[in-house]
Amino acid sequence: MNVDDISDLSDHAIALLKSSGVHTLYPPQILAVEAGITQGNSIVASVPTASGKTFIAELAMLSTIARGGKALYIVPLRALANEKKQEFDRFDAIDISVGSSTGDYESTDDWLATKDIIVATSEKVDSLIRNFTPWISDLTCVVADEIHLLDDASRGPTLEMTLSKLIHLNPDIQIVGLSATIGNADQIATWLDATLIESSWRPISLRTGVYHDSSIHFDDGTIRAIPKKSNPVEDIIHDVLQEDGSALVFVSSRRNAESAAKKISSVTDSFTNKTKPNLIELANKVREEGETELANTLASSIEMGSAFHHAGLVNNHRRLVEKSFRERTIKVVCATPTLAAGVNTPSRRVIVRDWRRYNSFRGGMEPLSVIEMHQMFGRAGRPNLDPYGEAVLLASGPDEFNELFDRYIGAEPESVESKLAVEPALRTHILSAIATGFATTTEGLLDFLDGTLYAAQTTNTKRLHFVTHSVLKYLEVNGFLTMSNNDIVATKIGEEVSRIYLDPMSAAEIIYGLKSSENPTSLSIYHLISRTPDTYPLYLKSGDRELYYQLAYEHQSELLGSSPPEFDPHWEDWLSALKTAKMIEDWTEETDEETITKRYRMGPGDIRAKIDTADWLLRATERLAISLDLQSTSTIRNLQRRVKYGVKEELLELVAVEGIGRIRARQLFNHGIHTRSDLRTADKQLILNALSGRRLTTEQILRNAGRKDSSLDAIPSRPFSSIKNQTPSDQEDEGQANLGDFK
């Protein structure tokens, strides 16, 4: 089938698709067209990675827009939202506008009402529904990418409830579910009243196999001998690099990713003759944008053609690694399995070194699921990049060789099972359903829940009813709703908790803590938000218990709420939250990143994740304090701003100027420039010196501060050696590497 044969698309859309090189449809795409994807029919597409799933979604979105509709593309990760937004931006050429929304759970993002395609995470869509966003009712097509994540205990319930709400709001809405790995796709399709499209077709071949005894044994019966030079991973990489390919190595932990990349760099370095200048440039950029040991470690690997990728890296560095790997400047990336979750990082050969990972809840190693393994396999081979793809598991002996073949090679992925019917998931979603009017009675609530995947899958309806009534009782006891006979009504504070996207248990903890003191300290507020279910506190590691035990007793009188007894099972959670609170406090006291990473044994990316969570929870805490008319409101607001920017109170006015982060603000302050007004009136040479001689940065900051004469043309350039901390060139203007300076 040719693109010209597709009905229900505009002539402009067909012309754009053809101009981008799409002339003939892949077999899975033909199946989707035949099933009515361009006529508004709901589809669940279970097809391999790289077989054109996104194009199936585009057909649905372009056709619904041609009929005057509006499309929503739901992704599991913010990084994937940015990637898809950039991909869809090409539709701007045919007057189809694209918007993206991933953060700020209290906003309705009214500006998106004018967009034809909106890309968002499921959590953001859920928050938009909770905040009564008007344009939600205009949606005619919803795409759920990576729909197998319905099975994920943390993200699955939100995706499930979001889809249920959207269908409830508009029973005729078109739903398109996409996944490469789903064992019970027929059941998911039935739940969504969709047609199932299944295919194993791939535009280029993908072979999977197991390495053992210096050979890769593939699923098609072929065997590839690997010359033995060093260890298995390095030998397999050397083999694929000789054919001008690339490799993606999956390992079980961050530390393993870093050490593997370091070891592999001795192999990749011999293949970097043509790319060495680019690699050095990339490495220097990493060093300029990160003053931590982790950044230096990454830069050293990049210089030699390898890299690592995990959540401990800051977003800028993760994106740089991904982009450079796609462009094949970096030849090998060592990563944790999270990289396989939809982000576009294709490679010639995928090597799964570690097929087990540590489960902290069970206290031991456990095998990866078939779904996760197939997601990793799917990174191998991409059209226009590779002539083939290969995915290889490593076996330590003949017994493990047989086990890996039986467990993963050719095995069917597990069934996707709803994770909705547990109290932590239902607390927030039941309150939301009541606060937003999806249910006003007990029977109405149960009827609404009957439309979920859980209800479609379970044979034990009593469990959902039991958990629902238990959650209703909890919400009533904590003042988030009232129940009279059969009627259920959210209270004012319950509606507020739903709007700000808090777990009701977090809200209950915060409210109880705030009411216990009229004059809370900064540490007590940080500790309060750090012990809520919406925070993942830092782990207590060896030597931590004694330190934070002592700290807890020193600050016992100021910590909010009731502390558990020392031998209570929750005592360790209390100390973990205190450790997290101290990390947040260090950040607001302007402790440098390198010190924080070493003191708390965490990566720069972890710092940003913790700070982003604290920022959100402090904004939510302020909203609760306002609703309760508490005196601590202004204190909380002040702390939220300090956390957001990572500064002491005296720098808050400076960091409010765009382009000034925590480091630049401190430099300016130490030179006597304390306010926005000072930036408009102070001697330009003084400001330039304070900003380490960065002329472009200085001019931009002066403009942002409202200075009319922001030009530095009249200020003579000074030799590098005469300016303290000056970088060699204005071309390195953004090299100041601190999280607070990348706002």
Side-chain angles (χ1 to χ4, degrees):
M1 179 182 289
N2 295 324
V3 172
D4 288 320
D5 299 325
I6 304 175
S7 59
D8 306 300
L9 292 185
S10 70
D11 292 339
H12 293 301
I14 291 176
L16 178 67
L17 294 174
K18 291 169 69 175
S19 68
S20 61
V22 179
H23 297 279
T24 304
L25 272 62
Y26 290 161
Q29 297 163 353
I30 295 173
L31 292 175
V33 172
E34 292 174 345
I37 189 76
T38 61
Q39 297 170 3
N41 292 349
S42 293
I43 298 289
V44 169
S46 179
V47 296
T49 302
S51 61
K53 292 194 305 295
T54 301
F55 185 75
I56 291 174
E58 289 176 352
L59 290 177
M61 295 190 295
L62 291 173
S63 59
T64 203
I65 292 167
R67 294 190 295 270
K70 188 182 188 74
L72 172 68
Y73 195 101
I74 301 176
V75 295
L77 303 171
R78 292 188 181 189
L80 191 55
N82 295 330
E83 183 179 298
K84 290 299 179 184
K85 164 68 166 58
Q86 293 175 7
E87 187 175 346
F88 298 151
D89 275 342
R90 73 187 193 279
F91 296 139
D92 183 62
I94 55 174
D95 294 325
I96 290 178
S97 57
V98 182
S100 177
S101 179
T102 56
D104 191 358
Y105 293 142
E106 302 144 59
S107 169
T108 58
D109 284 354
D110 291 339
W111 64 277
L112 290 172
T114 62
K115 302 299 181 182
D116 299 303
I117 297 175
I118 297 160
V119 185
T121 60
S122 55
E123 290 81 8
K124 178 59 182 181
V125 179
D126 187 23
S127 75
L128 291 169
I129 296 172
R130 294 183 187 203
N131 284 277
F132 302 97
T133 301
W135 55 259
I136 288 289
S137 60
D138 298 330
L139 294 173
T140 54
C141 174
V142 174
V143 178
D145 202 356
E146 309 292 343
I147 199 171
H148 61 272
L149 289 175
L150 286 164
D151 191 73
D152 184 85
S154 59
R155 290 191 172 95
T158 298
L159 177 58
E160 181 177 345
M161 288 296 287
T162 298
L163 292 175
S164 297
K165 288 176 180 178
L166 291 171
I167 294 170
H168 186 87
L169 288 169
N170 181 5
D172 295 325
I173 199 168
Q174 180 184 24
I175 303 290
V176 179
L178 305 176
S179 178
T181 49
I182 187 166
N184 56 335
D186 56 339
Q187 193 175 48
I188 305 302
T190 299
W191 170 54
L192 295 173
D193 193 22
T195 300
L196 174 61
I197 299 299
E198 286 187 296
S199 175
S200 59
W201 183 88
R202 240 177 166 261
I204 59 173
S205 64
L206 171 64
R207 298 192 299 172
T208 59
V210 179
Y211 173 90
H212 173 57
D213 196 20
S214 299
S215 296
I216 303 173
H217 300 256
F218 287 107
D219 54 356
D220 61 3
T222 60
I223 299 175
R224 182 180 179 104
I226 304 296
K228 189 171 179 58
K229 298 177 179 294
S230 180
N231 60 59
V233 173
E234 293 178 25
D235 291 345
I236 296 171
I237 287 172
H238 189 277
D239 179 68
V240 74
L241 292 183
Q242 281 187 316
E243 296 186 355
D244 199 29
S246 62
L248 186 56
V249 183
F250 286 107
V251 295
S252 60
S253 68
R254 298 179 184 184
R255 183 174 297 178
N256 285 340
E258 295 164 20
S259 62
K262 182 178 180 180
K263 292 176 182 177
I264 289 166
S265 64
S266 61
V267 177
T268 57
D269 191 44
S270 60
F271 293 89
T272 61
N273 291 336
K274 296 180 180 179
T275 57
K276 182 61 77 172
N278 293 335
L279 290 170
I280 292 174
E281 183 180 350
L282 289 172
N284 288 337
K285 187 173 183 179
V286 169
R287 291 190 180 99
E288 291 161 7
E289 292 185 357
E291 297 176 345
T292 64
E293 183 179 334
L294 186 65
N296 289 328
T297 301
L298 176 61
S300 297
S301 290
I302 288 175
E303 279 186 343
M304 300 178 74
S306 67
F308 53 86
H309 186 291
H310 57 61
L313 296 174
V314 294
N315 288 336
N316 283 354
H317 290 170
R318 289 204 297 268
R319 286 193 291 266
L320 183 146
V321 169
E322 292 163 14
K323 182 176 183 292
S324 302
F325 185 60
R326 284 194 296 269
E327 295 171 348
R328 301 291 164 93
T329 305
I330 294 174
K331 300 292 185 180
V332 178
V333 169
C334 301
T336 51
T338 52
L339 183 61
V343 180
N344 183 23
T345 50
S347 66
R348 176 78 56 83
R349 185 175 285 170
V350 164
I351 303 167
V352 183
R353 194 195 75 177
D354 303 333
W355 59 279
R356 296 185 183 92
R357 68 168 164 221
Y358 183 75
N359 185 318
S360 58
F361 295 103
R362 299 183 180 180
M365 303 296 287
E366 67 175 13
L368 296 170
S369 69
V370 178
I371 286 181
E372 291 173 297
M373 191 64 70
H374 284 195
Q375 285 287 312
M376 290 187 279
F377 287 175
R379 301 297 103 192
R382 279 295 190 279
N384 304 318
L385 286 176
D386 299 297
Y388 60 86
E390 294 176 344
V392 184
L393 285 153
L394 270 61
S396 59
D399 291 341
E400 188 170 273
F401 173 82
N402 292 326
E403 181 181 0
L404 292 177
F405 251 99
D406 292 341
R407 182 185 289 274
Y408 296 116
I409 305 301
E412 291 297 319
E414 297 88 355
S415 294
V416 168
E417 303 292 337
S418 170
K419 300 298 188 292
L420 180 64
V422 292
E423 285 200 25
L426 281 179
R427 275 197 307 263
T428 181
H429 292 300
I430 284 180
L431 178 59
S432 167
I434 295 167
T436 51
F438 283 92
T440 57
T441 65
T442 304
E443 284 78 5
L445 176 61
L446 292 172
D447 286 343
F448 172 72
L449 293 174
D450 278 342
T452 62
L453 176 62
Y454 179 83
Q457 289 182 325
T458 187
T459 57
N460 181 10
T461 56
K462 290 183 179 179
R463 171 171 171 73
L464 182 59
H465 289 198
F466 174 79
V467 177
T468 298
H469 284 290
S470 177
V471 168
L472 287 173
K473 187 65 177 176
Y474 173 85
L475 295 173
E476 182 183 31
V477 167
N478 283 278
F480 300 131
L481 57 81
T482 59
M483 300 177 65
S484 176
N485 296 324
N486 193 36
D487 295 330
I488 312 173
V489 179
T491 61
K492 181 180 178 182
I493 196 69
E495 291 176 347
E496 185 72 358
V497 170
S498 175
R499 280 194 296 269
I500 59 181
Y501 213 73
L502 271 184
D503 182 329
M505 185 173 282
S506 294
E509 182 77 15
I510 291 171
I511 290 170
Y512 175 66
L514 291 178
K515 287 182 175 179
S516 68
S517 174
E518 292 185 359
N519 298 296
T521 64
S522 59
L523 182 65
S524 69
I525 291 292
Y526 300 150
H527 182 250
L528 177 62
I529 63 171
S530 296
R531 64 177 194 254
T532 65
D534 281 305
T535 297
Y536 292 99
L538 296 172
Y539 289 113
L540 287 179
K541 299 184 178 180
S542 177
D544 282 347
R545 285 169 182 79
E546 183 176 350
L547 172 64
Y548 292 103
Y549 175 94
Q550 182 65 34
L551 192 66
Y553 276 96
E554 288 176 0
H555 295 272
Q556 185 176 16
S557 61
E558 69 182 82
L559 297 182
L560 304 176
S562 302
S563 66
E566 182 180 336
F567 298 105
D568 187 282
H570 296 294
W571 174 245
E572 187 157 314
D573 295 335
W574 187 266
L575 296 182
S576 294
L578 187 56
K579 179 180 179 180
T580 308
K582 281 297 295 179
M583 188 280 291
I584 297 171
E585 185 176 63
D586 283 355
W587 171 254
T588 60
E589 289 298 312
E590 301 177 38
T591 304
D592 65 89
E593 291 172 52
E594 180 65 9
T595 299
I596 293 177
T597 60
K598 290 181 177 179
R599 181 176 295 168
Y600 298 97
R601 286 170 279 185
M602 61 194 305
D606 300 312
I607 298 175
R608 172 50 58 207
K610 289 287 184 289
I611 294 306
D612 284 348
T613 298
D615 178 22
W616 162 54
L617 287 174
L618 285 169
R619 283 187 281 118
T621 300
E622 180 191 353
R623 291 274 292 273
L624 291 176
I626 292 172
S627 296
L628 298 168
D629 197 25
L630 298 178
Q631 294 181 359
S632 55
T633 300
S634 59
T635 298
I636 297 166
R637 182 183 301 117
N638 197 55
L639 292 178
Q640 181 269 323
R641 295 182 64 213
R642 289 186 58 195
V643 166
K644 179 179 180 179
Y645 295 108
V647 296
K648 297 177 181 178
E649 187 171 358
E650 64 199 29
L651 298 186
L652 284 176
E653 185 172 350
L654 283 176
V655 291
V657 177
E658 185 178 356
I660 300 180
R662 64 199 308 247
I663 291 179
R664 290 171 186 159
R666 179 52 61 191
Q667 291 172 334
L668 288 165
F669 193 91
N670 290 344
H671 280 73
I673 301 160
H674 299 169
T675 66
R676 182 186 291 263
S677 177
D678 291 342
L679 287 169
R680 292 196 291 262
T681 58
D683 180 73
K684 291 180 184 179
Q685 184 68 66
L686 176 65
I687 298 173
L688 180 62
N689 290 348
L691 294 173
S692 305
R694 300 172 183 270
R695 300 179 71 88
L696 298 179
T697 296
T698 301
E699 287 184 340
Q700 184 62 53
I701 287 174
L702 292 177
R703 285 194 295 270
N704 294 340
R707 187 159 184 161
K708 295 181 180 179
D709 56 333
S710 60
S711 173
L712 297 181
D713 290 346
I715 305 297
S717 298
R718 300 173 64 184
F720 170 67
S721 58
S722 69
I723 301 176
K724 184 180 179 180
N725 295 328
Q726 183 179 353
T727 54
S729 167
D730 267 333
Q731 298 303 313
E732 299 173 329
D733 191 58
E734 294 307 319
Q736 187 165 321
N738 192 287
L739 296 176
D741 280 319
F742 288 94
K743 293 290 184 182

